[in-house]
Amino acid sequence: MWWLVWVVLVIGTLVGAFFLLRDLWRKAQRLARVAGESAETLGAVSARIQEAMDAAEQPDTSPVVFENVAILQRRVDARAHLKQHRKEAKALARQERAKMWNLDTWLAERKQARGEAG
């Protein structure tokens, strides 16, 4: 009688293992398919990124050892002027942000937006 119980248990285990392995096989196939699609997408994206980098403006890095000194000085002065302009723009933006965070200014703007008398 015990042999019948063991046979049923073994057959049940084999059937369960079959369904488990079938499910794992199907999931592995789906994973491989998705991995292939994502690899294709990654390849397309990397190609587009490379095209964008190639199209981006590259700075002139040619050697300047034997160029005219006056041309080099103008180039240095132009870059210094741009740097000063950016510095002033940053300072102005910083002042505007500081005004925005001032409590009195904020309160006045809020009252004005609500239509209250100040």
Side-chain angles (χ1 to χ4, degrees):
M1 183 74 168
W2 280 106
W3 65 270
L4 183 62
V5 172
W6 281 105
V7 167
V8 170
L9 286 174
V10 168
I11 291 174
T13 302
L14 291 175
V15 168
F18 167 75
F19 285 115
L20 178 66
L21 289 174
R22 185 182 69 167
D23 184 52
L24 288 175
W25 176 252
R26 288 178 179 174
K27 287 181 180 179
Q29 285 180 331
R30 268 186 269 149
L31 178 65
R33 191 176 327 113
V34 169
E37 292 171 1
S38 62
E40 289 174 5
T41 304
L42 183 61
V45 167
S46 65
R48 287 182 59 199
I49 289 173
Q50 186 62 39
E51 289 172 5
M53 288 176 59
D54 292 342
E57 183 179 323
Q58 298 293 327
D60 182 23
T61 57
S62 59
V64 293
V65 174
F66 299 109
E67 283 194 25
N68 189 350
V69 176
I71 295 172
L72 293 176
Q73 187 60 45
R74 275 184 271 158
R75 199 183 293 172
V76 168
D77 291 342
R79 290 192 182 243
H81 178 70
L82 286 174
K83 184 178 180 180
Q84 183 64 29
H85 181 67
R86 284 193 307 266
K87 188 176 182 180
E88 291 169 0
K90 274 185 169 179
L92 184 62
R94 197 176 303 119
Q95 288 174 354
E96 291 298 320
R97 276 194 306 274
K99 282 183 193 175
M100 188 171 61
W101 286 99
N102 185 349
L103 183 60
D104 295 330
T105 306
W106 176 81
L107 188 58
E109 288 176 1
R110 181 152 171 113
K111 283 182 179 181
Q112 183 182 7
R114 287 187 170 189
E116 298 175 6

